[in-house]
Amino acid sequence: MTVPEFCEEMAISRSTFDDWRAKQRAPKAIRLPNGALRIRRTDFENWLDTLEDAA
């Protein structure tokens, strides 16, 4: 998924995503050769599971 898709699904701004990434709180992302970031759906779902466990 793209970063805008992630932000839309989480109802957050891009700046919040960037902050989470800087603090290593965002799901793992892949940098493509063109510089764009992508988040695998499985990484996103696993990341959500860890949030559920922490709650």
Side-chain angles (χ1 to χ4, degrees):
M1 73 181 8
T2 65
V3 172
E5 290 169 343
F6 172 81
C7 291
E8 182 177 331
E9 192 157 334
M10 294 300 296
I12 61 169
S13 66
R14 174 63 191 249
S15 62
T16 299
F17 172 78
D18 293 337
D19 185 50
W20 287 1
R21 257 180 70 78
K23 294 177 180 175
Q24 298 181 345
R25 294 182 180 167
K28 186 171 69 171
I30 302 163
R31 185 163 306 275
L32 299 177
N34 67 359
L37 291 174
R38 294 290 186 271
I39 301 164
R40 287 187 179 108
R41 178 59 67 173
T42 55
D43 290 336
F44 172 64
E45 291 170 359
N46 291 338
W47 175 77
L48 281 178
D49 288 343
T50 64
L51 295 179
E52 185 177 280
D53 292 343

